[in-house]
Each structure stands twice: as structure tokens, then as C-alpha cells.
Amino acid sequence: MASVLASVAATAVVVVHLAFLAYIVLGGFLGLRRLAWLWPSIAATLYSAYVTLASYTCPLTRLEKWLLEAGGRVPYEGSFISHYLHDVLYPARFERAAWVIAMVIALTSYVIVLTRRRRPAVV
């Protein structure tokens, strides 16, 4: 029973991890609804840049691998992105380009939100 629960938990971590990646790229647009939502998105993007550029292993990846092992499965080698997204969303050889595009989308969302907030209201 414990191995089944660990496998289910590992799957839940994958879903949360994918949602977090989507939030990193698109979360800045939430600032169009309320400016306060922009700041957590910026923090998440900075964290993502740190994880990527410093070759740091994300705690969600570590947790998933630990749960896979607890569930009796062999954890995958490498990063979460290389395991789940390479050759699914983009070829592995385009990882850097994919990361740059994701960061450009995130930064563009911040520019859009901040420039819309600075415009005077039209009466």
C-alpha cells in the first residue's frame, strides 16, 4: 500500500511541477488582473533562472525521485525537464532556445503589465 501511495504522490508532484513551469512562463500575465500577482511570478522566474544557470536540482525533482524510489521504481537520470519535456515539447538540442523563449515570454508579460499600469486612465 505504501508503494502505491508513493507512486500516486510522485505523479502529483509531476503535475505540480508542470503547473509551476507553466506559471513561470505565463504567470506574469496574472498581473493584468491585479498588480500584486506580478511579484510572485517575478520571484518564480528568478528562481527558475538560478536553477537553470547554476545547474541546481529543483527540490520538486528531488522529491519526485525520492517518491519514485519509495514506490519501488527506479528514478530517472537527469533533470525533470530532460525527462518529461525533451522530445515531447521540443527536441533536446533546442533546450537552450526553449529556455530563452520561455524567459522572453515571461519578461514580455512583465513589460506589458507594467506599461499598462503606467498609462493614464482614458476618460
Side-chain angles (χ1 to χ4, degrees), residues 69-87:
E69 198 167 18
R73 295 172 52 197
V74 176
Y76 55 86
E77 293 293 323
S79 72
F80 176 87
I81 289 176
S82 67
H83 182 70
Y84 289 105
L85 301 182
H86 286 174
D87 298 326

Side-chain angles (χ1 to χ4, degrees), residues 17-115:
H17 209 161
L18 288 170
F20 184 68
L21 290 175
Y23 177 72
I24 289 167
V25 177
L26 302 171
F29 290 109
L30 292 172
L32 292 170
R33 303 280 293 159
R34 189 169 193 193
L35 187 60
W37 292 352
L38 183 66
W39 309 116
S41 176
I42 291 171
T45 301
L46 290 172
Y47 174 75
S48 167
Y50 168 73
V51 167
T52 302
L53 298 174
S55 297
Y56 176 74
T57 301
C58 178
L60 288 174
T61 302
R62 285 193 208 133
L63 176 60
E64 181 199 357
K65 288 180 177 183
W66 180 79
L67 288 167
L68 288 171
E69 198 167 18
R73 295 172 52 197
V74 176
Y76 55 86
E77 293 293 323
S79 72
F80 176 87
I81 289 176
S82 67
H83 182 70
Y84 289 105
L85 301 182
H86 286 174
D87 298 326
V88 175
L89 289 182
Y90 56 87
R93 68 182 184 271
F94 295 127
E95 180 171 4
R96 182 165 299 201
W99 187 80
V100 168
I101 290 168
M103 291 301 103
V104 166
I105 293 169
L107 294 173
T108 299
S109 73
Y110 306 150
V111 169
I112 289 170
V113 169
L114 293 173
T115 56

